[in-house]
Amino acid sequence: MSALRAILTVVSALVWLGAGSAERAAAQAAAPAQENASRPEALQPGDAFGEEVNLPAQTIIFFSGSGQWDNAFETIVDGFKTVKAYLEKQGINPSGAPMTIYTSTNDASFQFWAAVPVAAPPKDAPTGDIAVGTSTPGKAYKFIHRGSYDDMDTTYDAITNFLDENRLDAKDLFIEQYLTDPVTTPEDKLVVEVYVPVK
């Protein structure tokens, strides 16, 4: 996962350092953007890659945790198992696909929410590592990933190229929404929507 964590860290650094400098803008102006020049080969016809969307605010129940990139997927799956157990105990049905919201990253580790959308907040607020919140709304770009979590390095490389080519300033946040259940789906069969909120 070294490339993935490097990409997340670089994008975060660019956001904090104000990557829209005059030099960068001049260099990018000399090379016109190519919307899907970096589209991964594993995608199927019709899969979004760089599609502009408007994310709605959703009520979510989430597990707040942290982990190391070396075992990121296992850490995230454990978070979803915790949320799933809570929902089943409370008799709450999800209203949408589960998602990982990366709230902070560096070269070695990350902080995240393993979140599941629900129609309404539970009557009794959860405690401990489980909480209720709202997903981040607003303009974002959508990208599809197919395959194992380890292979997401390739997808994030392509996303970074897309952002650079189109001079887009990403927020310090990434969202992975799972179209296949991350708890039960074999890792090499994952289908993930990656959302990159932009300024």
Side-chain angles (χ1 to χ4, degrees):
M1 298 301 293
S2 58
L4 172 60
R5 62 179 177 245
I7 289 162
L8 290 171
T9 302
V10 166
V11 171
S12 297
L14 290 175
V15 169
W16 287 110
L17 294 174
S21 67
E23 295 84 358
R24 181 173 179 263
Q28 289 172 332
Q34 299 177 15
E35 184 173 344
N36 287 316
S38 302
R39 184 180 170 92
E41 294 180 7
L43 296 183
Q44 297 180 2
D47 282 350
F49 202 82
E51 175 186 338
E52 184 177 330
V53 297
N54 189 32
L55 296 175
Q58 301 179 80
T59 300
I60 54 174
I61 294 178
F62 64 91
F63 169 87
S64 180
S66 61
Q68 304 293 312
W69 288 118
D70 290 341
N71 58 350
F73 188 69
E74 293 83 359
T75 300
I76 291 166
V77 167
D78 286 344
F80 282 120
K81 288 178 179 177
T82 301
V83 174
K84 184 177 180 181
Y86 171 81
L87 294 177
E88 289 177 350
K89 184 176 180 181
Q90 298 297 319
I92 299 172
N93 292 320
S95 63
M99 66 185 85
T100 299
I101 302 171
Y102 293 96
T103 58
S104 178
T105 64
N106 60 42
D107 283 344
S109 62
F110 61 97
Q111 294 179 344
F112 72 101
W113 293 356
V116 175
V118 293
K123 185 190 306 184
D124 299 319
T127 59
D129 292 329
I130 300 288
V132 179
T134 304
S135 64
T136 301
K139 181 179 176 181
Y141 283 83
K142 174 182 174 181
F143 306 85
I144 298 290
H145 168 80
R146 292 182 181 273
S148 76
Y149 196 82
D150 286 341
D151 288 343
M152 287 192 74
D153 286 355
T154 302
T155 298
Y156 276 103
D157 280 338
I159 290 171
T160 300
N161 290 338
F162 176 89
L163 296 174
D164 287 343
E165 289 163 1
N166 290 280
R167 297 185 287 261
L168 297 170
D169 288 329
K171 294 182 178 178
D172 191 19
L173 181 75
F174 282 83
I175 301 166
E176 293 173 358
Q177 184 165 301
Y178 304 95
L179 302 186
T180 51
D181 187 337
V183 175
T184 60
T185 303
E187 190 179 344
D188 62 344
K189 302 296 184 185
L190 291 173
V191 181
V192 184
E193 293 178 340
V194 179
Y195 291 95
V196 182
V198 295
K199 294 181 178 179

